[in-house]
Amino acid sequence: MDDWLAHLTALGGRQSGDRDWAFPNGDNGSASDAEHLVPLTHLSILECDGPDAARFLQGQTSANVEHADGDFAPLTAFCTPKGRMIANAEVLRVSAERYWLLLHASLAASLATQLGKYAPFYKVKLSHREDLALIGMIGSPASWASAAGVTDLPRLDWHMTQQDGTVALRQPADRPRVMLILPASEAAARWESLSRSAGVADTALWRRADIDAGIAWLTADHSDAFLPQMINWEALGGISFRKGCYTGQEVVARAHFRGQVKRRLRIASVEGTSPPAIGDEIRNAEAKRVGEIFQAVNGDTPEECPALAVLNTSQDEESELFVGGRRLVLRDLPYPLERLDPESVVDGNVTA
């Protein structure tokens, strides 16, 4: 991993405190039809390996692990007994007894500690795979295949392919977005090959695509603060209500079936040249606190910053909203705010 980070530094990259990389001439999120290459150093892989890996994860995660079949890579959440999320992730089955959990890098160690409490009862080994690198590709998939090292890139969101030690994972966005997960020792050479036909972009470009897609990835600042439904995780297929028990399942199910979710994720734009911080309070015109900022990045123009906000469901849609005196304007979500059963995605009844 040190060689990979040294390569990014040699390109003029600079890492910020939130694990993003920025480049002197990098794209910080402006709209463009060009292909972009993005270092995804804010994400990481926690591996669960062993004969009991599937059974072990099945008792801890909101996804049905059987759906992770090496093609479909379901979203999931890991919760406390009170239903609050410790972390959210995507589950990748990379071999018969090995699963990768894709999540924010700041949560890999704490999730490993939490899951490690139960691991002694199973034949599994948990490892934070810091020897892996993640590279994002935004643009036409056809133009990437040869240099990416995976000739058959996934065509559906939340699906994966793998070849010769490299995993390719498709993520939702207005433009095709594919993530490569590969040995860190190969990352510099792969980056150089890919960059011959793509521009280098800041990590913020990828995070902005997540915001535009209404996808909220928890960081250490969010852990143990939200029910999965508060970040619309069931609307993205991240909760299986048909599987058996898992830690926190009773609370998550009760909140769903009794309509007890009082806060919801929204996409928004915030006035100003710098993004608000995670947890900044959102207030209405009467100065009443009605929500908080989940995440925000720099935008196309210096006048606004794209953001994800968690708001009270009782909040009047027409009311003016403010963050530290700056106006916040809500935008539409790109998906319906209703339950999406992952079983229907696996069965092919809806597109992923």
Side-chain angles (χ1 to χ4, degrees):
M1 180 63 76
D2 290 344
D3 290 344
W4 166 230
L5 299 182
H7 180 73
L8 295 177
T9 302
L11 294 173
R14 178 177 54 85
Q15 191 171 22
S16 65
D18 56 4
R19 301 174 186 265
D20 286 2
W21 278 81
F23 300 92
N25 299 314
D27 191 325
N28 69 352
S30 61
S32 173
D33 291 332
E35 278 69 40
H36 287 101
L37 203 58
V38 187
L40 305 181
T41 47
H42 65 302
L43 301 174
S44 195
I45 297 293
L46 179 62
E47 180 177 279
C48 182
D49 186 26
D52 293 339
R55 190 164 62 92
F56 168 70
L57 290 174
Q58 189 76 324
Q60 300 300 323
T61 177
S62 65
N64 186 337
V65 178
E66 294 178 1
H67 295 162
D69 57 5
D71 177 23
F72 182 54
L75 294 174
T76 193
F78 294 88
C79 302
T80 68
K82 294 183 179 181
R84 301 281 169 160
M85 289 185 295
I86 300 167
N88 59 346
E90 191 171 0
V91 186
L92 289 67
R93 184 174 180 261
V94 293
S95 68
E97 299 179 351
R98 180 175 300 161
Y99 293 82
W100 285 354
L101 304 175
L102 170 69
L103 73 169
H104 195 273
S106 67
L107 290 172
S110 58
L111 182 58
T113 298
Q114 176 66 21
L115 295 179
K117 298 176 182 179
Y118 308 98
F121 304 102
Y122 298 84
K123 297 177 182 178
V124 296
K125 178 182 178 182
L126 295 168
S127 306
H128 182 193
R129 292 295 304 274
E130 296 182 279
D131 60 321
L132 296 173
L134 292 83
I135 297 174
M137 306 183 301
I138 302 176
S140 174
S143 67
W144 300 100
S146 177
V150 180
T151 54
D152 183 22
L153 294 174
R155 291 171 292 174
L156 295 175
D157 296 337
W158 311 127
H159 282 67
M160 59 176 282
T161 57
Q162 57 181 320
Q163 180 179 327
D164 300 330
T166 296
V167 171
L169 183 65
R170 183 74 172 250
Q171 303 279 284
D174 290 338
R175 302 182 64 220
R177 193 165 58 125
V178 175
M179 177 189 304
L180 296 181
I181 308 171
L182 69 161
S185 59
E186 301 175 11
R190 196 74 56 87
W191 178 279
E192 285 302 305
S193 180
L194 289 164
S195 64
R196 294 186 187 115
S197 59
V200 174
D202 300 345
T203 306
L205 183 62
W206 190 272
R207 293 204 294 122
R208 183 189 170 182
D210 281 333
I211 289 174
D212 291 340
I215 302 168
W217 293 106
L218 270 68
T219 71
D221 293 322
H222 304 109
S223 188
D224 200 18
F226 301 103
L227 295 173
Q229 293 97 324
M230 291 178 181
I231 62 165
N232 304 344
W233 216 234
E234 90 286 19
L236 291 166
I239 306 173
S240 173
F241 291 95
R242 303 181 189 178
K243 64 167 284 184
C245 294
Y246 57 91
T247 302
Q249 180 265 343
E250 183 177 351
V251 176
V252 172
R254 185 168 62 245
H256 173 73
F257 290 110
R258 295 185 180 179
Q260 296 175 336
V261 181
K262 304 303 181 184
R263 294 188 287 165
R264 281 288 189 177
L265 186 80
R266 298 294 302 271
I267 302 174
S269 296
V270 180
E271 286 181 331
T273 58
S274 60
I278 292 172
D280 277 1
E281 293 184 342
I282 300 171
R283 296 183 178 273
N284 62 16
E286 290 74 42
K288 179 181 178 181
R289 187 186 189 280
V290 295
E292 64 188 83
I293 294 294
F294 184 95
Q295 185 185 73
V297 296
N298 289 315
D300 286 349
T301 68
E303 287 78 32
E304 65 174 18
C305 300
L308 292 175
V310 178
L311 292 174
N312 298 344
T313 55
S314 60
Q315 172 59 32
D316 183 356
E317 289 282 328
E318 302 303 320
S319 176
E320 288 190 310
L321 300 173
F322 301 90
V323 181
R326 294 191 280 170
R327 191 160 183 250
L328 178 146
V329 178
L330 298 179
R331 293 160 44 196
D332 292 335
L333 289 164
Y335 49 80
L337 198 54
E338 59 188 38
R339 168 177 157 186
L340 172 63
D341 287 320
E343 288 80 5
S344 66
V345 179
V346 173
D347 294 341
N349 295 329
V350 298
T351 56

